[in-house]
Each structure stands twice: as C-alpha cells, then as structure tokens.
Amino acid sequence: MDEWSHRLANLLAGNSGDEATLEIVLTGPSLRFEAATRIAICGADLSARLDGRRLRPDRAVDVPAGGVLEFGACEAGLRAYLAVRGGFAITPLMGSRSTYVRGGFGGFAGRALRKGDVLLASDASGRPAARGPGVRPILPSSVPREPRGQAVPLRVMPGEHWALFTPAARDSLLQAEFRIAAQSDRMGYRLEGPALERIAPGELVSEAMSFGTIQVPNDG
C-alpha cells in the first residue's frame, strides 16, 4: 500500500527496492531472528523494540542471532514495512511477491502470518553486517514526509463523466476536504465528505477502473 516506505526499507537493508518486505498493519507481531542480519523498518511508527531497546523508523539496524523484535502502540501512521537483508525468500507469482489474501494465493501460503510461522530470508548466512551492532540513523532532511494529521491537496483531472455532475458538485470536489473512512480496504478508499450530486440520477454501465480513479455511487 505504501510503495515509498517499502522501497526505502529495502534500500536501507542493503537490497534492491523490490525485494519482499513484511507489511505490518497497526499492531505488529513478535519476531525471533535465528540468524544475524540487518533490518530496516519504514512507514508507520509502531513502537518497535529490539531486545527491549526502542527502535525508530527509517534506520538500518543490525540484529544478532536470537534477537527478538516486538511492536507496541501505534505512535503515527498505519502501515509499517520490515525489510531484511537479502529480502524474504518468497517465490514470485505473476511477477509479484505480495500476498492476495482474498484470493488465497501469493506471498506466504496465500494468507496472513500466524503464530509459529517461519519466514526464510534469501541471505541466511548469518554474516555480520558491515558496520557491526548498532543503529545507523538517516538524516531527517533525507526522509521527506507529508505533515501528519493535516489535509493534503491532491491534483485531479476531469474524467469522462465530469459533465454529468452539477456545478456545485464539481466545486465541492475541488474545494472541500474529504476523509478516508473506516470502510476502506486494499481495493480502494471510501471517502467521507459532501455528497456529489449528478444532474440526472441513474446507473452507468460498469467499466474498468485504473489507479487513481474516483468512483461516485448513486448516493454521491
């Protein structure tokens, strides 16, 4: 969901940007590392701790064999991304290493992780990382972030059905603030805000959606 954080975590761990990472949503797992490796956690701040020591996001961290990584309260954000050196050993399916939970395929057995699962890393040699134990911070100026909790403007372009909406609805879309609702999932975000009325009600013929499309149901 957050490709920027996914790629940054990989780069900090010493990988190419598209190795498999573990997407952690809101509450994280407890993970025991059977071999020494280097990790990076980017995205949301979920109060990660390594052997009881607090870790901040956007840093490369060397983990000793037997180290335990735990997550606590969500401080900011929603999704965090854990990368390990070499990436997770996941067989690509249709060019992707991600898990499609609804379809039950891809990733790790086509499902979310459960207690007792063992994830293999592509680099399981246990070699110490180049810098040895410690934390390597990334300068704040090199990790740009949108301000949290503030409205962010989005650029939109009129689509095929733009003329079907009332002038007031068009103004609302361009001027009003919308909030992501709880009824959202990986297929799309449902937005809360002023209703967007059409000039004439009625169902449209179903058609394909592309990334970034705003779809307006009958109730606006």
Side-chain angles (χ1 to χ4, degrees), residues 12 34 36 39 45 64 90 114 139 154 157 177-178 187 202:
L12 290 174
E34 297 183 356
I39 68 170
D45 184 355
I90 299 295
R114 301 170 186 159
L139 295 178
L154 300 177
M157 298 175 61
E177 288 189 6
F178 294 84
M187 297 292 287

Side-chain angles (χ1 to χ4, degrees), residues 134-168:
V135 176
R136 178 162 54 90
I138 302 301
L139 295 178
S141 60
S142 67
V143 186
R145 292 186 177 277
E146 295 289 355
R148 298 188 187 277
Q150 300 181 29
V152 178
L154 300 177
R155 195 167 70 95
V156 297
M157 298 175 61
E160 180 182 0
H161 305 129
W162 181 251
L164 300 181
F165 291 92
T166 65

Side-chain angles (χ1 to χ4, degrees), residues 3 26 32 37 50 79 90 110 139 150 160-161 167-168:
E3 184 179 0
L26 195 60
R32 182 182 299 276
T37 189
L50 176 62
R79 291 177 173 86
I90 299 295
L139 295 178
Q150 300 181 29
E160 180 182 0
H161 305 129

Side-chain angles (χ1 to χ4, degrees), residues 173-196:
L173 177 65
L174 299 178
Q175 302 298 329
E177 288 189 6
F178 294 84
R179 180 181 295 272
I180 296 174
Q183 295 81 15
S184 301
D185 59 22
R186 300 184 73 86
M187 297 292 287
Y189 292 126
R190 183 174 291 275
L191 302 180
E192 295 175 342
L196 304 180

